Amino acid sequence: SVQHILEVGHTYYHLFPLLSYLQNMASDLLSGETPAGNDAQSTAPRRISFLSSSDGAPAVKRRSSFLQKARHSISRRKNNATDPETLRGTSGADFEGYATVIRGSGSGIGCGCCGGEGDSRKVRYLLIKGASCFVYISENGLSPKYAISLAKINAKYEQKVHQGTTTVYLQTSLGDIEYTMIFDTRESDEIAATFLDVVNEQARVAQAELISKRLGHGHLGERKASVIFADTLAKEKVKNQPDKPVTAAEILDATPGARNGGLTL
């Protein structure tokens, strides 16, 4: 009957997001794609979360079935939630951990206004999903303070060694330092090494995507719903990044006669 057809159509409409998600997961498994956070070159999975729990999620969530996680993830995205649990989705984040975040190289001159120097040297919770690094006050944050696009970014270690900490610079292709990340590595340097590897991996993927789009080929493959959601959120959150501090060298270059030992009046 017509009523029966309408009921079936209504049910399929609500199940479509879940069915699409399951189809993508099945495609990944058949193609041999490794789960998020696994190193394809290693027999052991790479650790992606450096929080108190093994995957950054409460234990009760880890006991949930796959279908329950899928339904829960879809529901949270529909309600515009932007907390870490929503960004993880069912496939998890690519990296989670804490670091001291500094805008620029840390040698800038800040005035403290607009979140300047007064807000630029604090320990933050970092979550990488796809080609974006989301910066939260903590893992319990309801929404990221801002996001960092990893496209055209290259992560490098600071050459100078500091006891108990490891510094990773996020640089542009021209070598300009956009962010300085300082990790506590008193127990192990695994967190810094993982962060560096994940940033560079995601940057390469993002660069390949940009090239593919320029050639008119669209995306390189089907993307997970949680990655699409993260990309959409990142486009808004990158606008909230703190201003890059002005360096002493830039001030000297902008001041006539300053490099010659005096001011030109």
Side-chain angles (χ1 to χ4, degrees), residues 87 129 131-134 144 146-150 227-241:
L87 284 179
K129 184 76 174 183
S132 304
C133 177
F134 296 91
Y146 56 91
I148 304 169
S149 173
L150 301 181
V227 174
I228 295 174
F229 176 78
D231 287 347
T232 302
L233 176 62
K235 288 179 182 178
E236 292 299 319
K237 290 298 181 178
V238 292
K239 302 174 185 177
N240 299 337
Q241 293 181 86

Side-chain angles (χ1 to χ4, degrees), residues 17 20 41 92 113 120 127 134 145 157 175 194 198 201 234 253 259:
S20 178
Q41 305 299 322
C113 58
S120 63
L127 185 151
F134 296 91
K145 288 177 65 66
Y157 285 120
T194 300
V198 171
E201 286 171 8
D253 288 338
R259 288 192 179 276

Side-chain angles (χ1 to χ4, degrees), residues 58-245:
V60 64
K61 296 301 179 184
R62 294 199 297 271
R63 289 196 297 267
S64 300
S65 69
F66 174 81
L67 290 177
Q68 286 176 326
K69 286 183 178 180
R71 294 192 192 101
H72 186 63
S73 179
I74 293 171
S75 175
R76 293 181 70 84
R77 287 198 293 270
K78 284 185 177 180
N79 291 327
N80 297 318
T82 57
D83 59 327
E85 183 180 353
T86 304
L87 284 179
R88 290 184 195 111
T90 56
S91 57
D94 296 299
F95 171 87
E96 292 185 72
Y98 283 87
T100 297
V101 180
I102 302 172
R103 187 67 163 105
S105 64
S107 61
I109 299 175
C111 64
C113 58
C114 299
E117 192 70 12
D119 193 49
S120 63
R121 293 174 180 266
K122 293 187 177 180
V123 175
R124 299 298 187 196
Y125 161 69
L126 307 177
L127 185 151
I128 296 178
K129 184 76 174 183
S132 304
C133 177
F134 296 91
V135 182
Y136 290 80
I137 292 179
S138 76
E139 62 198 88
N140 299 314
L142 297 179
S143 180
K145 288 177 65 66
Y146 56 91
I148 304 169
S149 173
L150 301 181
K152 302 180 181 179
I153 285 292
N154 183 29
K156 288 187 176 181
Y157 285 120
E158 181 188 27
Q159 294 300 316
K160 186 177 180 180
V161 178
H162 301 279
Q163 186 173 5
T165 64
T166 300
T167 299
V168 175
Y169 293 125
L170 299 188
Q171 301 179 336
T172 66
S173 57
L174 297 177
D176 296 326
I177 299 175
E178 292 294 315
Y179 285 91
T180 300
M181 308 295 193
I182 304 175
F183 295 91
D184 183 344
T185 52
R186 285 173 293 183
E187 295 185 5
S188 169
D189 63 354
E190 184 182 7
I191 182 173
T194 300
F195 177 81
L196 184 143
D197 289 344
V198 171
V199 168
N200 288 334
E201 286 171 8
Q202 295 301 332
R204 285 192 292 269
V205 172
Q207 188 64 20
E209 285 277 354
L210 289 174
I211 294 173
S212 179
K213 286 182 180 180
R214 291 196 193 105
L215 296 176
H217 301 314
H219 294 293
L220 295 175
E222 287 191 61
R223 299 187 302 160
K224 294 181 175 64
S226 58
V227 174
I228 295 174
F229 176 78
D231 287 347
T232 302
L233 176 62
K235 288 179 182 178
E236 292 299 319
K237 290 298 181 178
V238 292
K239 302 174 185 177
N240 299 337
Q241 293 181 86
D243 293 332
K244 192 174 180 180

